[in-house]
Amino acid sequence: IDGSTKLGFTEDVLKRYEAYGWHTLEVADGDNDLAGLTRAIAEAKAEKTRPSIIKVTTTIGYGAAKAGTAGVHGAPLGAESLAAVKQLFGFNPENKFVVAEDVYKYYGERAALGAQKEREWNELVSRYAQKYPELHADLQRRLKGELPAGWEQALPRYSPSDKALATRKLSEAALSALAAQIPEIIGGSADLTGSNLTRWKDAVDFQPEPTGLGTYAGRYLRFGVREHGMAAICNGMAAYGAVVPFASTFLNFISYAAGASRLSALSKLRVIYIMTHDSIGLGEDGPTHQPIETMAMLRATPNYLNFRPADGNEVSAAYISALQHTDRPSVLSLTRQNLPQLEGSSVEKALKGGYELQTHGSGSKPDLLIAATGSETSIAADTAKLLADKHGLTVKVVSMPCLELFNAQPDEYRHSVLTPGVPSISVEALSTFGWQKYVHCPIGIDTFGASGPYKELYEQYGLTPEKISQKALKVIEYYKDVPVPMLSLQF
């Protein structure tokens, strides 16, 4: 729109693609050389071993008075200029909204040819069904977007006696189980496989066989450091259908993919984003890697499901929900640090997006409610226990792994979980933006992070049971003399 493409592209684009190993073609006069364009397309179709790119040099608004300028991009041509264009291409400038009979005839012939091709395809599929009934049934299932029967049963479930693990490690176990049950799962990482833990044990890379790195039957993709390209590729696969794509990197780096990942939501595509290293808990990599505002951005994006699971049951629930929602993308935000398997968690509860996890103390009504997500949920539970043991308070702990799912629950359920009339705080090692909708006093991080051992960082940012309890006591004290406001739960 600024003007000539030379303003922004000074390199030889075809040489760049030639260096990539592409098959390159050029049509120098795209305004007039239709025969050359036809030949180039035929040559590209004949190339079977490489992708093809055709460089076509054209003039924007060719034939118009403002040809070659941005003036024809977003403004009407005007009657005089439009008439000149029509004359150039052999049309009667006086006619408007007219389609010639030979055009109707041509399109009719193409429609008939397409119908014949469709009949031939259906006959081929019918013969395939007779010869390979099981493969045909699986193909039809995939094309319909259905998942294999009983796939959910493959996902692990956990009890508090199970080992503490990072949720990225729990995700690895879940993804490995699902990959064995759902053959259409395909995806990979943006050069962080060893950190994201997204490659199951018997996975085969999707690579040309001559490289010795994999085969085209492989289901694991090495995207390289190309977050935007990774998300765009997954969008394409999801739009095509018959596969369930996933993409993975650090949570903070989904910002590099935002243009394409936003289109996942806009286009209603089931793309699963497996994002690890989801907070200051990643430690020494520091503020360039530590997400602060990232989750707030994702939660503000329509049609996303954003999960921040607190333990293994919530990780399994996140995968179930992500796979069941065929018309929206999901982000699974996962920890680097180990987390305990929580008392009171379950897959079924987590599928509601938010639920009562624990209550500490003996009162008939809570003195305080603590809502938390991910790695801060166990910290919230420890805070509740401290307040009950040292101060005799009754504290309800709510786990909220997915706000979008919680928002979709009936009013009665949401009110029962968040307990109107009770002072409430939230704890999340991310921006507090948006939490005012759910609690009276959000506790989080509204500055950039820092580099250091993660336990020291949690201490520095006040995200320990001792420091959270101090703030909690102030909230409780404040609302002794002030009516507890009713939060807007009519989402």
Side-chain angles (χ1 to χ4, degrees):
I1 297 175
D2 280 356
S4 170
T5 54
K6 293 179 181 178
L7 294 173
F9 291 93
T10 57
E11 77 273 26
D12 188 329
V13 175
L14 286 188
K15 286 293 184 183
R16 175 155 54 88
Y17 277 86
E18 186 180 322
Y20 294 156
W22 285 49
H23 174 223
T24 61
L25 298 158
E26 182 173 6
V27 179
D29 183 9
D31 296 331
N32 301 288
D33 189 7
L34 299 183
L37 185 58
T38 302
R39 285 194 301 272
I41 293 172
E43 188 175 339
K45 287 181 176 180
E47 172 58 54
K48 302 299 183 183
T49 62
R50 297 174 293 169
S52 295
I53 182 172
I54 305 173
K55 176 185 175 183
V56 184
T57 302
T58 60
T59 304
I60 187 172
Y62 178 64
K66 296 181 180 179
T69 73
V72 294
H73 177 81
L77 292 180
E80 184 176 336
S81 183
L82 183 59
V85 172
K86 287 181 177 181
Q87 285 181 322
L88 177 65
F89 289 105
F91 294 102
N92 184 343
E94 301 300 321
N95 290 340
K96 297 180 180 179
F97 304 105
V98 173
V99 179
E101 284 301 320
D102 59 338
V103 174
Y104 278 115
K105 181 174 180 294
Y106 178 79
Y107 273 86
E109 291 170 352
R110 299 304 297 178
L113 179 61
Q116 176 60 31
K117 293 290 185 182
E118 183 179 3
R119 285 191 293 270
E120 293 172 1
W121 168 257
N122 289 335
E123 290 169 3
L124 176 63
V125 172
S126 180
R127 294 195 299 273
Y128 180 77
Q130 293 174 4
K131 192 171 182 179
Y132 307 103
E134 292 184 2
L135 290 175
H136 174 263
D138 190 59
L139 174 62
Q140 293 302 311
R141 176 189 64 76
R142 294 194 197 189
L143 291 172
K144 292 175 184 175
E146 299 173 355
L147 297 174
W151 64 271
E152 304 98 323
Q153 304 307 314
L155 286 164
R157 293 172 184 249
Y158 299 85
S159 67
S161 61
D162 289 323
K163 182 180 179 181
L165 291 169
T167 52
R168 63 169 176 162
K169 191 68 179 175
L170 296 162
S171 167
E172 180 184 37
L175 185 60
S176 296
L178 290 170
Q181 296 294 318
I182 306 175
E184 57 266 39
I185 286 179
I186 181 172
S189 167
D191 200 40
L192 287 170
T193 295
S195 295
N196 301 145
L197 304 181
T198 43
R199 192 176 190 274
W200 53 100
K201 286 184 179 179
D202 60 351
V204 176
D205 281 13
F206 181 86
Q207 297 278 6
E209 284 196 48
T211 65
L213 300 173
T215 75
Y216 282 145
R219 295 157 58 196
Y220 194 77
L221 302 172
R222 305 285 186 167
F223 290 108
V225 189
R226 302 181 184 96
E227 291 85 358
H228 177 86
M230 172 176 68
I233 289 167
C234 286
N235 284 345
M237 290 192 289
Y240 187 82
V243 294
V244 179
F246 70 87
S248 189
T249 184
F250 289 175
L251 176 59
N252 207 38
F253 299 159
I254 198 172
S255 300
Y256 300 144
S261 62
R262 182 177 184 271
L263 285 178
S264 305
L266 179 61
S267 303
K268 300 182 179 180
L269 299 174
R270 178 174 55 186
V271 176
I272 302 175
Y273 291 95
I274 303 172
M275 305 284 110
T276 68
H277 296 61
D278 72 333
S279 74
I280 59 168
L282 63 85
E284 286 82 356
D285 278 342
T288 58
H289 288 54
Q290 294 164 344
I292 298 295
E293 77 292 350
T294 311
M295 184 58 75
M297 174 192 75
L298 292 168
R299 287 171 177 159
T301 305
N303 201 42
Y304 254 116
L305 289 176
N306 297 290
F307 296 91
R308 197 161 181 261
D311 70 354
N313 288 328
E314 292 191 0
V315 168
S316 291
Y319 273 103
I320 289 174
S321 187
L323 286 163
Q324 287 179 338
H325 286 84
T326 60
D327 61 350
R328 60 199 304 187
S330 298
V331 175
L332 279 63
S333 299
L334 307 166
T335 67
R336 182 192 183 198
Q337 72 271 34
N338 290 340
L339 303 179
Q341 310 304 328
L342 296 169
E343 184 75 47
S345 80
S346 77
V347 172
E348 290 72 24
K349 291 178 184 177
L351 286 171
K352 294 181 180 293
Y355 62 97
E356 179 180 352
L357 180 72
Q358 303 169 6
T359 295
H360 293 267
S362 58
S364 59
K365 180 183 178 182
D367 299 296
L368 179 74
L369 181 145
I370 308 178
T373 75
S375 47
E376 290 69 67
T377 307
S378 58
I379 295 174
D382 290 342
T383 303
K385 188 175 186 304
L386 186 155
L387 289 168
D389 293 346
K390 289 187 64 175
H391 300 278
L393 298 170
T394 299
V395 182
K396 179 178 180 179
V397 180
V398 170
S399 180
M400 298 188 72
C402 181
L403 300 186
E404 294 82 10
L405 287 180
F406 183 72
N407 293 348
Q409 301 306 311
D411 291 351
E412 183 179 356
Y413 176 78
R414 287 182 280 115
H415 280 277
S416 71
V417 171
L418 294 182
T419 320
V422 174
S424 56
I425 64 174
S426 63
V427 183
E428 189 174 56
L430 299 167
S431 168
T432 62
F433 185 84
W435 275 104
Q436 295 82 356
K437 184 176 183 178
Y438 305 94
V439 299
H440 302 105
C441 177
I443 297 172
I445 305 174
D446 291 316
T447 65
F448 288 115
S451 176
Y454 83 90
K455 290 183 179 180
E456 294 181 15
L457 293 176
Y458 271 77
E459 179 75 30
Q460 177 179 325
Y461 287 99
L463 297 174
T464 62
E466 293 75 19
K467 292 192 175 182
I468 295 168
S469 64
Q470 293 171 13
K471 293 183 180 180
L473 290 171
K474 292 180 181 179
V475 171
I476 294 170
E477 185 66 26
Y478 176 80
Y479 283 114
K480 283 182 179 179
D481 301 319
V482 177
V484 178
M486 180 73 172
L487 294 170
S488 176
L489 299 182
Q490 304 299 319
F491 304 121

